[in-house]
Amino acid sequence: MGQAAEFAALLASIRACRICRDTPHFGEKLPHEPRPVIQASPQARICIVGQAPGARVHASGRPFTDASGDRLRAWLGIGEADFYDSEKVALIPMGFCFPGNDAKGGDLPPRRECAPAWHDAVFAHLPNIELLLLIGQYAQRRYLDRSDMSGGLTRTVQDWRKIYHRPGPHRTIPLPHPSWRNSGWLKQNTWFEAELLPVLRADIGNLLS
């Protein structure tokens, strides 16, 4: 089996995954039919590791088809055509399925089964990633050094220059979640849009040009 066929088989296995419903490793089983959501191609040079699909993404089967996606694309400075081109951008959530809602109506945390089961295999097929974007604390805890996380999310994102310029196989930038619930955070941390986003957009523009 060639590499393209192997990767296609891996994506098919992820989309057929029912671990969290049939044999959950952490807590209660998923209360609804799973619908794993992922976008990836070995040609992708940008990878975004997000949190988990919300209800709208669960319904559409396409990543970031919601208000958070609109804000994220505005942050990146790209349109839907580039964002949804799997040969340009890989979209890999920490939890592949909508985790359901908590008692207050918010989304539950990403299922903990997904990343250990699938992430290593997916990244093994993504040799061309040059820029890795980590959205939220769940992705940052998995892919950053423990010392990067010692001060909470705000401190981690404030330290983006240190993380971005760190030697390694790719450049990495930590980001807050683009949820509209974080609008207050953006107002309190104006450096994010003034300092981080121009660098992020320039890097992405170079990779897509």
Side-chain angles (χ1 to χ4, degrees):
M1 183 183 294
Q3 291 185 355
E6 287 181 4
F7 189 62
L10 173 62
L11 292 182
S13 295
I14 291 172
R15 291 175 176 134
C17 180
R18 298 295 183 269
I19 294 173
C20 60
R21 186 196 64 184
D22 296 343
T23 56
H25 301 165
F26 306 98
E28 298 294 325
K29 68 178 184 179
L30 193 72
H32 53 264
E33 177 64 19
R35 191 180 191 183
V37 176
I38 182 175
Q39 171 182 301
S41 166
Q43 286 72 44
R45 300 171 70 188
I46 301 166
C47 179
I48 301 172
V49 180
Q51 187 162 294
R56 291 186 180 181
V57 173
H58 177 73
S60 71
R62 198 181 194 196
F64 288 104
T65 51
D66 52 19
S68 294
D70 294 338
R71 173 173 270 176
L72 177 60
R73 287 185 286 274
W75 285 355
L76 306 182
I78 63 176
E80 290 191 4
D82 286 328
F83 187 80
Y84 288 116
D85 185 339
S86 63
E87 295 191 354
K88 296 179 179 179
V89 180
L91 301 170
I92 304 172
M94 287 297 296
F96 290 107
C97 292
F98 171 52
N101 297 121
D102 60 24
K104 296 182 180 180
D107 290 356
L108 289 167
R111 295 292 306 201
R112 293 166 59 192
E113 292 90 351
C114 303
W118 300 112
H119 274 214
D120 287 350
V122 172
F123 276 101
H125 286 84
L126 302 180
N128 296 313
I129 298 301
E130 296 184 40
L131 180 63
L132 177 66
L133 306 181
L134 303 175
I135 296 178
Q137 292 191 47
Y138 297 101
Q140 291 161 17
R141 285 172 185 162
R142 183 170 179 87
Y143 288 106
L144 292 180
D145 295 339
R146 182 174 296 180
S147 60
D148 294 325
M149 302 296 299
S150 60
L153 183 139
T154 298
R155 181 60 180 273
T156 300
V157 181
Q158 284 177 330
D159 287 342
W160 67 271
R161 291 183 182 86
K162 176 185 72 175
I163 296 167
Y164 180 66
H165 293 293
R166 183 177 294 159
H170 49 248
R171 301 176 298 283
T172 300
I173 295 182
L175 298 172
H177 196 280
S179 168
W180 292 94
R181 296 182 180 184
N182 282 336
S183 295
W185 186 94
L186 294 171
K187 291 180 180 178
Q188 294 173 4
N189 297 277
T190 55
W191 52 266
F192 176 76
E193 293 187 341
E195 301 173 21
L196 188 157
L197 290 188
V199 173
L200 174 59
R201 290 167 182 161
D203 197 332
I204 288 176
N206 288 333
L207 289 173
L208 296 180
S209 63

